[in-house]
Amino acid sequence: EPEVTQTPSHQVTQMGQEVILRCVPISNHLYFYWYRQILGQKVEFLVSFYNNEISEKSEIFDDQFSVERPDGSNFTLKIRSTKLEDSAMYFCASSEGGFFGQGTRLTVV
Amino acid sequence: QKEVEQDPGPLSVPEGAIVSLNCTYSNSAFQYFMWYRQYSRKGPELLMYTYSSGNKEDGRFTAQVDKSSKYISLFIRDSQPSDSATYLCAMSSMNSGYSTLTFGKGTMLLVSP
């Protein structure tokens, strides 16, 4: 069964550092998404990406964040100058959002 | 008022029970309604997807949508210990593309053998 793959599964970074979270969406899907879930909180939409550009973003997705599809398979979320409150599970989803990856747990220390 | 409200539980039931999970919402533009199952520190897994009002059945799972009441439900029949997880409702409007999902906080379900 096709799946969305995310790496790494867990990332620990120091406050102020940049991190790149990686996702390999399902191959024939066209829409890609990033969501995050702070521990104990609801899953929140960050950004959607279609045809190599952002199609929608939430208020959370400010200048600290960027997304890229550097090649035909990978989809990345970059977080610059990480803050303690960026600690969360970050989920990539593809196509109509029905397919989520297993997530990257980001811990900022 | 929060867009999507969901009782966080935990909801504890014995094996074999019928489970009812519910969400209410305030945005009348929502047209697509999903239920996800999430195990601890894992990604949400899509269980059911319903468009507009009505019922949908898949095995032991039945999803109901009542748009007039802004109320959706997921029923699980013959619940099993393996059903123990957090169940998330999610919904989307047509204008924003059905995958820009707004989630409830999730209900933790515990099924005891």
Side-chain angles (χ1 to χ4, degrees):
Chain A
E1 186 174 320
E3 60 179 15
V4 177
T5 306
Q6 289 186 243
T7 55
S9 58
H10 187 197
Q11 172 92 49
V12 181
T13 189
Q14 289 201 328
M15 193 167 50
Q17 296 296 304
E18 175 182 287
V19 295
I20 297 176
L21 310 182
R22 302 179 193 280
C23 170
V24 179
I26 296 172
S27 61
N28 60 343
H29 287 184
L30 301 177
Y31 293 83
F32 314 112
Y33 307 83
W34 284 101
Y35 289 80
R36 80 172 183 190
Q37 186 177 30
I38 295 170
L39 186 64
Q41 302 297 316
K42 61 175 61 177
V43 176
E44 301 173 290
F45 168 72
L46 291 178
V47 65
S48 60
F49 193 83
Y50 171 73
N51 202 24
N52 288 322
E53 60 183 28
I54 291 172
S55 53
E56 188 173 353
K57 59 183 180 179
S58 71
E59 292 178 352
I60 302 168
F61 193 88
D62 59 21
D63 292 342
Q64 187 194 4
F65 296 89
S66 62
V67 289
E68 203 174 46
R69 193 149 191 245
D71 54 42
S73 59
N74 290 287
F75 179 49
T76 63
L77 175 68
K78 182 188 291 185
I79 309 174
R80 289 180 283 274
S81 188
T82 49
K83 302 179 285 220
L84 295 176
E85 53 265 39
D86 294 327
S87 296
M89 288 288 289
Y90 288 82
F91 296 108
C92 174
S94 79
S95 189
E96 291 79 24
F99 299 93
F100 279 74
Q102 291 300 300
T104 294
R105 181 156 62 102
L106 176 65
T107 302
V108 182
V109 298
Chain B
Q1 183 183 13
K2 295 178 183 175
E3 274 204 294
V4 179
E5 302 244 25
Q6 188 176 7
D7 187 333
L11 175 62
S12 295
V13 301
E15 183 175 356
I18 296 174
V19 174
S20 172
L21 304 166
N22 312 293
C23 286
T24 59
Y25 63 95
S26 58
N27 187 347
S28 57
F30 287 142
Q31 298 277 354
Y32 298 90
F33 304 91
M34 293 83 164
W35 286 95
Y36 289 83
R37 178 172 61 197
Q38 185 179 30
Y39 295 108
S40 180
R41 296 189 180 276
K42 298 293 185 184
E45 173 194 359
L46 181 65
L47 287 175
M48 301 284 288
Y49 150 59
T50 310
Y51 170 67
S52 196
S53 285
N55 294 357
K56 187 172 184 179
E57 187 173 323
D58 184 2
R60 295 185 296 113
F61 298 90
T62 300
Q64 286 185 353
V65 175
D66 182 350
K67 290 191 67 182
S68 63
S69 301
K70 296 189 178 68
Y71 187 88
I72 69 171
S73 301
L74 178 71
F75 298 95
I76 307 174
R77 290 182 297 281
D78 187 26
S79 56
Q80 303 294 310
S82 57
D83 294 329
S84 297
T86 297
Y87 289 79
L88 313 175
C89 64
M91 45 201 81
S92 178
S93 65
M94 291 180 71
N95 291 335
S96 64
Y98 105 71
S99 293
T100 305
L101 298 170
T102 301
F103 281 84
K105 201 171 179 181
T107 298
M108 182 183 294
L109 172 66
L110 302 171
V111 182
S112 54

